[in-house]
Amino acid sequence: MLLSIALVLIVGIVFGGLCRKIHFPPLFGMILGGILIGPYVLNLLDPAMHAVSADIRKAALIVILIRAGLKLNLSDLKKAGRPSILMCFLPACFEIAGMILLAPRLLGLSYPEAAVLGAVTGAVSPAVIVPRMIRLIDEKQGTDKAIPQMILAGASVDDVFVIVMFTAFTGIVQGEKFSAAEILNVPLSIFTGIVIGLTVGFILSLAYKYLKPNPIISSLVMLSVGFLLSCAERNFADVFPFASMIAVMCMGTVVKRKLPDTAVVMSEKFGSLWTGAEIFLFVPVGACVSVNSLQNAGAKTILLLLCVLCFRAVGVALCMAFTPLNFKERLFCVIAYLPKATVQAAIGGIPLAMGLACGEQVLAVSVIAILLTAPMGAFAIDLSYKKLLSRDNK
């Protein structure tokens, strides 16, 4: 296991650094490096590494969501209003609808199978989006209209919505009856996630205020609480559903509101921690990629993904309707909602493991979605934000 950890770090640093040298998103190199050392090419990683890779990726995601919460200002988020709510589900709904319309024609799937595929590909990647929106907030790009804050919040809730829809659609394909309760779990999970996150954040703020631990201890405590929230979601999902990703971000937001100076220092610590966490997120994602799946996916798969991204763009554009955002700012919102990686890596192989007939195709499309949209979206955000967003000089 130690050898595998060392390989992941070295490959992530080297391949990510090479991409950075040519002004390409480092995550692209990390994914390619993961493919290289993964079981389908050189097979250099310990099988135990693959067994815990999902938890490792979740831990890395928690790091960046906590940092997002420590940067997110609730008063700024209120500026966005209605669009921030619509961004949580409307673009994903449009993409799923596009997949249901097009996948049967291009890939020969049934409509329920196309819905499963749409749910897998419909989520954006917080791991790609969140660090970039944090950078925009730091540089005050688009913050006068709360654009990065709106995208931050929407990307986190979007994943919760899509995962619940995925559960419902896989049940339909397996012959189970559709349950309206599963759809009702979406707003319930979001609400309880917010409440739990705000409550935990308030308790942590009180503890930090009176105990005054040093910033490293404070950061480690918050990270541990984030892990506990994630475990609680998994263990009590049937009894008390809540969205741990939203809870984690809300927890950080409360600490920022109650203890702004402490939040600034902790955000710097989590920024340093993200340097390593990013490697452990994207290299294992690459290691999960099956070369056979890539070979089986042809031009029709790429065409399908590009078409459903157009559906998604329409959904984002509708979210921005009747807002003070100009054309360039709306275009940036469309671009920022393109990248996919985290959710696709987490659930892309589940239909195959469940024995669904569409499992191999779903896995292949999810892999192509990661390789196509994660670097493309990251690169487009990095290249365009200074041209499309105005800087807040206040």
Side-chain angles (χ1 to χ4, degrees), residues 23-350:
H23 304 289
F24 214 65
L27 66 91
F28 186 68
M30 295 175 190
I31 292 174
L32 290 180
I35 294 174
L36 182 64
I37 64 174
Y40 303 101
V41 183
L42 296 180
N43 194 24
L44 299 178
L45 297 180
D46 191 312
M49 187 74 178
H50 300 297
V52 299
S53 64
D55 286 334
I56 292 173
R57 294 197 301 270
K58 192 64 172 284
L61 190 58
I62 289 171
V63 169
I64 195 59
L65 286 174
I66 291 176
R67 190 180 175 212
L70 293 169
K71 287 284 186 180
L72 193 59
N73 193 317
L74 289 176
S75 60
D76 288 339
L77 189 58
K78 289 178 183 177
K79 293 180 186 177
R82 174 185 56 84
S84 63
I85 297 174
L86 293 177
M87 290 283 277
C88 297
F89 65 91
L90 193 60
C93 286
F94 267 76
E95 185 165 349
I96 292 172
M99 192 66 78
I100 292 173
L101 286 173
L102 298 176
R105 293 167 174 78
L106 290 174
L107 300 184
L109 299 177
S110 67
Y111 287 111
E113 289 172 340
V116 171
L117 179 57
V120 171
T121 63
V124 295
S125 174
V128 177
I129 292 174
V130 170
R132 283 165 174 79
M133 295 307 108
I134 289 174
R135 186 173 68 200
L136 265 60
I137 293 172
D138 289 339
E139 296 180 10
K140 298 186 181 299
Q141 294 282 351
T143 52
D144 57 329
K145 296 182 181 178
I147 293 172
Q149 295 93 325
M150 173 183 66
I151 294 171
L152 265 180
S156 300
V157 180
D158 169 273
D159 287 1
V160 177
F161 173 77
V162 167
I163 289 172
V164 173
M165 296 302 292
F166 171 76
T167 303
F169 291 142
T170 51
I172 293 172
V173 173
Q174 286 182 305
E176 300 174 6
K177 290 184 178 180
F178 176 77
S179 173
E182 292 178 348
I183 302 302
L184 292 176
N185 275 341
V186 175
L188 177 61
S189 297
I190 293 170
F191 176 75
T192 53
I194 292 172
V195 171
I196 291 171
L198 295 178
T199 304
V200 172
F202 181 74
I203 294 171
L204 283 177
S205 299
L206 290 177
Y208 293 158
K209 181 177 180 180
Y210 292 107
L211 297 178
K212 297 185 179 353
N214 68 58
I216 294 178
I217 296 298
S218 299
S219 301
L220 288 175
V221 169
M222 183 171 282
L223 183 62
S224 300
V225 172
F227 292 164
L228 290 173
L229 288 172
S230 178
C231 292
E233 179 188 23
R234 181 171 55 193
N235 294 333
F236 300 107
D238 295 333
V239 180
F240 185 73
F242 78 97
S244 63
M245 289 189 293
I246 296 173
V248 165
M249 194 163 68
C250 288
M251 173 179 65
T253 303
V254 173
V255 172
K256 175 179 173 57
R257 185 177 180 85
K258 296 291 183 181
L259 303 170
D261 293 336
T262 301
V264 169
V265 178
M266 290 177 63
S267 179
E268 292 175 355
K269 301 299 180 186
F270 277 101
S272 300
L273 191 57
W274 172 245
T275 302
E278 183 180 29
I279 293 172
F280 280 103
L281 178 61
F282 288 110
V283 175
V285 164
C288 293
V289 172
S290 167
V291 176
N292 291 333
S293 297
L294 293 179
Q295 292 173 343
N296 293 336
K300 288 184 178 180
T301 299
I302 296 175
L303 176 62
L304 174 65
L305 288 170
L306 292 175
C307 289
V308 296
L309 285 178
C310 293
F311 276 81
R312 185 177 194 84
V314 173
V316 175
L318 287 177
C319 294
M320 301 299 114
F322 307 109
T323 68
L325 273 64
N326 59 40
F327 174 77
K328 289 184 177 180
E329 291 164 338
R330 297 183 189 199
L331 177 59
F332 177 80
C333 292
V334 170
I335 292 171
Y337 246 49
L338 293 179
K340 306 172 185 299
T342 319
V343 173
Q344 288 72 29
I347 67 175
I350 291 178

